[in-house]
Amino acid sequence: MQALGSYKGGKLLFLGLGTGLGSTLIVEGIVEPMELGHLPYRKGTYEDYVGIRGLERVGKKKWRRYVADVVARLIAALEPDDVVLGGGNVKKLKELPPGCRAGDNANAFLGGFRLWEEGGDGKHSTPAKIGSRYPNGNERNTKMTAGNQLLTVRPAWKALEAHHQKVRELHLRKLFADDPQRGERMTSEDVGIFLDYSKNRITDETLKLLLQLAEESGLRARIDAMFRGEKINITEDRAVLHVALRAPKGASIIVDGENVVPQVHAVLDKMTDFSNRVRSGTWKGHTGKRIRNVINIGIGGSDLGPVMAYEALKHYSDRALTFRFVSNVDGTDFAEATRDLDPAETLFIVSSKTFTTLETMTNAQSA
């Protein structure tokens, strides 16, 4: 999304300096996600040298030299018109490599709008496209907005820009002093979750303008389309079924003429039954020993999601069980996670949507 939001036309190379090395190429509006980080470099891959592991291993000074070298190589190979360096570690660079500009997380927000943006006549205003492929390999092009005019000329956006200038220097102490009830007013609670958003630099006017922008952007209509099971994931031509996963058994969400909620709950029931049998000791390992260790193998959301759920619900967990998470393709991560565990008492869970991700499948083979 940040690459999409940073695009100004021509050929853009976006490189994300984060945990690894993210990469995207946009050519005349065609967006092509890439895996340049896995290309061979020195004694490993690009990602091994310019990702977080490289930074921690060689230190900031040497890491900066590697970044400059890798960026120069990729520019020479791909010949882009524009290069954007994004990711959380770009701020660790003393100076940007020649021909590069720094990305901004705010552009990810703009990229999301560009992905969905439509003109007033119901048609996309710019004939740029997002290039993607279906699982069967057939190419599919989906129109998108290459410029940022539609979003930024909206009244609410303009008003938010002006409003930001007024509140950018406000201190939370003043906001609370001027409004003693702020800590109670700016909260929300439902289904056991308490949200306190009072400690952000926002005012009632901020909320009003954000809601106005959401209304001008047709957010409600898109939410309704998701709940109806429409195929709003345009790059894969699929419905986005997070809502079906959370829907009660009696709900109905129709996708391609079929209510998918019963299928979802059938799988959830199987997961519940299996989890209960592991916890109770009924389900045993290959040698007949009880499972005492569970290791999740995944990367990205397939790692962060399980970790988040585990940390959030740890209070309710069975403390007799050990839980660990492996995402790094570096074998050290796997070795450290398993070094003190009995294989006969260890259950590995491989989390993946496609089961083609290199890191996940490498660790799965190790397991």
Side-chain angles (χ1 to χ4, degrees), residues 75-86:
I75 289 176
L78 298 170
E79 299 183 332
D81 304 314
D82 188 13
V83 182
V84 173
L85 299 185

Side-chain angles (χ1 to χ4, degrees), residues 172-189 194-200 202 204:
L172 284 177
R173 291 194 186 95
K174 176 171 173 54
L175 291 173
F176 275 92
D178 292 346
D179 180 8
Q181 304 303 313
R182 179 184 177 88
E184 298 175 11
R185 282 194 316 107
M186 292 188 167
T187 62
S188 183
E189 185 173 8
F194 180 78
L195 172 65
D196 177 0
Y197 54 93
S198 64
K199 299 176 182 66
N200 291 277
I202 59 174
D204 290 333

Side-chain angles (χ1 to χ4, degrees), residues 241-257:
L241 296 178
H242 306 80
V243 289
L245 185 61
R246 294 159 178 78
K249 282 191 174 182
S252 176
I253 297 178
I254 306 298
V255 178
D256 293 332

Side-chain angles (χ1 to χ4, degrees), residues 37-162:
H38 299 306
L39 292 175
Y41 178 70
R42 292 179 175 263
K43 296 181 180 179
T45 65
Y46 285 137
E47 197 162 84
D48 293 328
Y49 285 84
V50 302
I52 190 67
R53 292 195 303 276
L55 176 59
E56 293 173 348
R57 187 177 70 252
V58 304
K60 205 177 285 186
K61 189 174 180 180
K62 212 167 185 180
W63 173 80
R64 287 169 179 159
R65 291 204 298 267
Y66 285 137
V67 170
D69 183 52
V70 168
V71 170
R73 288 168 180 258
L74 294 176
I75 289 176
L78 298 170
E79 299 183 332
D81 304 314
D82 188 13
V83 182
V84 173
L85 299 185
N89 289 331
V90 71
K91 61 181 180 291
K92 293 182 171 66
L93 295 173
K94 259 189 176 179
E95 57 184 33
L96 293 174
C100 298
R101 58 189 173 97
D104 189 326
N105 285 334
N107 286 335
F109 176 74
L110 179 59
F113 272 92
R114 287 182 175 177
L115 185 63
W116 292 101
E117 196 67 84
E118 290 182 349
D121 59 356
K123 297 179 180 179
H124 291 273
S125 62
T126 308
K129 303 174 181 177
I130 294 174
S132 62
R133 297 183 183 275
Y134 286 125
N136 62 12
N138 294 329
E139 186 168 330
R140 173 177 184 267
N141 289 321
T142 304
K143 289 184 178 180
M144 60 160 256
T145 302
N148 59 6
Q149 293 302 306
L150 291 175
L151 176 65
T152 56
V153 298
R154 289 178 180 169
W157 183 273
K158 290 291 188 184
L160 277 166
E161 286 183 321

Side-chain angles (χ1 to χ4, degrees), residues 314-350:
K314 186 187 293 185
H315 174 75
Y316 306 99
S317 68
D318 183 348
R319 298 306 172 95
L321 290 171
T322 297
F323 297 92
R324 292 178 184 169
F325 303 86
V326 175
S327 62
N328 198 328
V329 74
D330 188 331
T332 304
D333 194 30
F334 183 89
E336 286 297 313
T338 59
R339 67 180 184 81
D340 58 343
L341 304 181
D342 182 350
E345 298 178 342
T346 302
L347 169 67
F348 290 94
I349 298 175
V350 182

Side-chain angles (χ1 to χ4, degrees), residues 291-308:
I291 296 297
R292 302 187 185 279
N293 316 297
V294 180
I295 297 181
N296 182 83
I297 294 175
I299 195 168
S302 297
D303 170 60
L304 298 175
V307 170
M308 182 196 70

